[in-house]
Amino acid sequence: MSLPLRLDDLLRTPLGNGAQLDAEKERLDEFLLQHAQRYDFSHRMFGVTFGLLAQERFLSRSNWERLQPLDCRLRVLQCMRVLMRDATHRTHFVELGAVGQLVSLCI
């Protein structure tokens, strides 16, 4: 079975084997490199990506716990941070109740 090529497709599937996790790490790294200098994330595709990162990785306890080693979690947080330069995504983050989850990582 071949792995999806797009980040959004990878994020839609529950974390599985090492190959899928490696592919996801690569796509997250590519995303960070491509968009590190960007500040406008108003296009709908970025909203989809942010929603998937927040709901399917950050807020999904089972997927979050499977993100090992911890650098995988860091990639998810970094991508969400970049996307939250857009006020719409910050608002969505709050509406999802993700602030409490983020605070719990720090205490």
Side-chain angles (χ1 to χ4, degrees), residues 82-102:
V82 166
L83 286 163
M84 280 195 284
R85 292 174 181 164
D86 187 293
T88 303
H89 303 312
R90 287 192 303 270
T91 300
H92 189 204
F93 187 77
V94 171
E95 289 171 351
L96 289 171
V99 174
Q101 177 74 10
L102 184 60

Side-chain angles (χ1 to χ4, degrees), residues 7 27-41 45-46 82-83 85:
L7 176 58
R27 297 310 176 285
L28 290 169
D29 286 341
E30 289 170 7
F31 182 89
L32 288 167
L33 289 172
Q34 288 176 349
H35 303 293
Q37 301 300 315
R38 183 183 202 113
Y39 285 83
D40 178 14
F41 294 101
M45 80 172 172
F46 293 117
V82 166
L83 286 163
R85 292 174 181 164

Side-chain angles (χ1 to χ4, degrees), residues 18-91:
Q20 179 188 356
L21 186 57
D22 289 342
E24 188 170 310
K25 286 170 34 176
E26 282 183 39
R27 297 310 176 285
L28 290 169
D29 286 341
E30 289 170 7
F31 182 89
L32 288 167
L33 289 172
Q34 288 176 349
H35 303 293
Q37 301 300 315
R38 183 183 202 113
Y39 285 83
D40 178 14
F41 294 101
S42 59
H43 191 279
R44 183 185 178 285
M45 80 172 172
F46 293 117
V48 171
T49 301
F50 180 77
L52 289 167
L53 281 166
Q55 293 174 308
E56 299 300 325
R57 292 301 179 261
F58 185 64
L59 293 173
S60 167
R61 181 176 294 289
S62 62
N63 283 334
W64 186 250
E65 290 173 355
R66 283 190 210 122
L67 284 171
Q68 297 292 332
L70 294 179
D71 66 318
C72 300
R73 292 179 183 181
L74 181 59
R75 283 178 176 90
V76 168
L77 291 170
Q78 287 173 318
C79 287
M80 289 192 327
R81 178 189 59 82
V82 166
L83 286 163
M84 280 195 284
R85 292 174 181 164
D86 187 293
T88 303
H89 303 312
R90 287 192 303 270
T91 300

Side-chain angles (χ1 to χ4, degrees), residues 1 3 14-23:
M1 180 173 117
L3 290 171
L15 281 174
N17 60 27
Q20 179 188 356
L21 186 57
D22 289 342

